[in-house]
Amino acid sequence: MNVRRSAAVVAVLAATAGVGTGLGTGFAPAALADDTAPAAPSASPSQAIPTGLYGSTDPKFDGVWRQSLTLVALDAVGEKPGAGAVDWLLGQQCANGAFAAYRPDPTAKCDAKTAVDTNSTAAAVQALAAVGGHDAQAERSVGWLKDNQNDDGGWGFTAGGPSDANSTSVVIGALAAVGETPGGQKKAGHSPYDALRALALPCAAGAEGSGAFAYQPDKKGGLAANADATAAAVVGSLGEGFVVDAGKTGDSGDSGDSGDSGDSGGAAECVAGTSPEDAAHNGAVYLAGALTSDGYLKSALAGAEDQPDLGNTADAVVALAAAGNTDATAKPLAWLEKNYGPWAAKSGPAAYAQLILAAHAAGTDPRDFGGADLVAQLSETGPARDVADYTSVPSDDTADGGGDDGGIATGVVLGAGLGLAALAGAALTRLTRKRRRA
């Protein structure tokens, strides 16, 4: 559900589709960037940023994601998006409801080569639900997501790809955003919470990664703790989406076995229960423990430098707040306030949106984030704000029609059984400076 993870997807797609990832030839991830890291390249004159789109970097791999996160974050703090921002997002939708990361020609019909994916689609659903007035388009997207649910109850990045914690969680957020009960969405008798539960590491005193979530099983079926996947899965297991309101947690609506976890936010120990709430509690305990020492999480990508990971730290704040452990958000929030500037400036609108959502979830003011106004900084990355209310944008069923809209791009194959982090790490080793883009 987070901008960091989207960056890992960028690296995987670039590597598997043969797209160069070196600076100047592709998209340089920057979510791990320090002050000296080069920013993601701006679009060239021949790749002008479309009207209505936030950000100044090439939208090839993250246009829909960053736009969706921006719309959600602005709505969460009562702000309107820039002129044409909602129209731009609507124009990216395929006739079957799916979204790709970016379609440079929205007038062209989607076909089998259109690289639609669950993450872009689920993010767009949450954005359309937030701004309102586009129920038909959002429901069409939800229908596509339901049609592509895996038999284990989860979703992979691409339709039919092996389920992973992040994709499953962002789809849960989309279902919740349109008023559906995620636990009731089942395939072959399995709900999305079953898929997440299968990726949760068991509680074991003193064991590394106890209570965390894995992104996917490894080739041998083993589970390795992944902080990025854990942050996403904690929120997903609670039936939440991008926006977590301070002091409120979601209801998974799952009828599975429930352990005696009590208050999932207050206890500091892993519990043996098997309910989604128990799994979320355990994941939050893992994150809180990982943040205790420095106040930030470190890079989890294979081959990446051992350094602070600002995006994952912001995600962890949202996850801890969702689980009710707001006390544990204070230290990472304070650290982010002091260190977010260079990263967000290079990473663009999705990073600012992510920080806004973290502050919002923890009950702090995103307009006074270490003395800075995150909302103003986000707004400055996009077009001028609308004069009219954005819900006045036509909401009829006008997505482009025809075509075989559900395929994935030729040559874009996510290896079954391989964790996204491992694949992304392999791609990132080719970067001059190993960085991830928000």
Side-chain angles (χ1 to χ4, degrees):
M1 59 150 288
N2 52 69
V3 68
R4 284 184 57 268
R5 173 182 46 75
S6 182
V9 171
V10 169
V12 174
L13 294 180
T16 56
V19 178
T21 56
L23 297 179
T25 59
F27 216 73
L32 306 178
D34 58 23
D35 290 1
T36 62
S42 297
S44 67
S46 62
Q47 298 173 315
I49 298 300
T51 301
L53 177 62
Y54 281 77
S56 60
T57 57
D58 187 346
K60 183 174 183 179
F61 294 112
D62 81 326
V64 167
W65 181 270
R66 79 192 192 205
Q67 190 81 346
S68 298
L69 215 62
T70 295
L71 296 181
V72 169
L74 289 174
D75 182 78
V77 294
E79 291 289 322
K80 296 179 180 179
V86 179
D87 277 337
W88 183 88
L89 184 61
L90 289 169
Q92 290 289 305
Q93 187 178 40
C94 294
N96 67 348
F99 283 79
Y102 174 63
R103 294 199 297 130
D105 182 6
T107 65
K109 294 181 179 180
C110 298
D111 58 24
K113 294 183 179 181
T114 305
V116 297
D117 67 84
T118 62
N119 289 226
S120 297
T121 303
V125 169
Q126 295 190 54
L128 294 177
V131 301
H134 306 286
D135 292 350
Q137 290 91 335
E139 289 295 342
R140 189 188 304 118
S141 294
V142 169
W144 182 85
L145 290 167
K146 289 180 176 180
D147 289 343
N148 288 286
Q149 186 177 17
N150 292 331
D151 286 346
D152 63 3
W155 286 265
F157 177 71
T158 55
S163 297
D164 65 77
N166 300 75
S167 298
T168 300
S169 297
V170 75
V171 174
I172 287 174
L175 293 172
V178 296
E180 303 233 2
T181 302
Q185 178 56 40
K186 297 185 177 182
K187 180 73 176 292
H190 296 115
S191 78
Y193 300 112
D194 294 324
L196 291 181
R197 186 183 294 116
L199 295 170
L201 278 70
C203 290
E208 183 177 358
S210 176
F213 286 81
Y215 171 75
Q216 282 178 335
D218 62 24
K219 290 182 178 179
K220 297 182 179 180
L223 300 177
N226 183 298
D228 184 33
T230 301
V234 167
V235 175
S237 293
L238 292 171
E240 297 278 8
F242 290 145
V243 180
V244 170
D245 294 325
K248 298 179 181 179
T249 57
D251 182 359
S252 69
D254 186 67
S255 58
D257 296 333
S258 178
D260 296 327
S261 62
D263 180 359
S264 66
E269 296 181 357
C270 197
V271 298
T274 58
S275 72
E277 293 79 9
D278 290 326
H281 164 82
N282 293 341
V285 169
Y286 168 81
L287 291 173
L291 288 162
T292 298
S293 176
D294 301 312
Y296 59 81
L297 296 174
K298 296 181 180 179
S299 169
L301 278 181
E305 297 175 14
D306 186 12
Q307 61 182 316
D309 190 327
L310 288 94
N312 199 180
T313 300
D315 294 338
V317 169
V318 175
L320 289 168
N325 194 351
T326 53
D327 289 344
T329 67
K331 190 171 183 178
L333 270 177
W335 184 87
L336 285 169
E337 287 179 346
K338 294 179 180 179
N339 296 280
Y340 83 91
W343 165 68
K346 292 173 183 177
S347 300
Y352 289 115
Q354 193 175 7
L355 291 165
I356 289 171
L357 293 172
H360 177 80
T364 63
D365 186 359
R367 293 180 173 85
D368 185 13
F369 194 73
D373 187 340
L374 293 174
V375 179
Q377 290 175 332
L378 173 57
S379 297
E380 288 170 1
T381 70
R385 185 159 62 171
D386 289 338
V387 176
D389 187 75
Y390 55 67
T391 58
S392 65
V393 176
S395 59
D396 58 350
D397 195 356
T398 56
D400 70 305
D404 176 14
D405 306 297
I408 60 175
T410 303
V412 179
V413 180
L414 298 182
L418 292 179
L420 180 59
L423 286 174
L428 287 177
T429 57
R430 296 200 297 273
L431 288 173
T432 302
R433 301 182 64 88
K434 300 177 180 67
R435 298 290 185 265
R436 204 181 327 180
R437 181 186 61 76

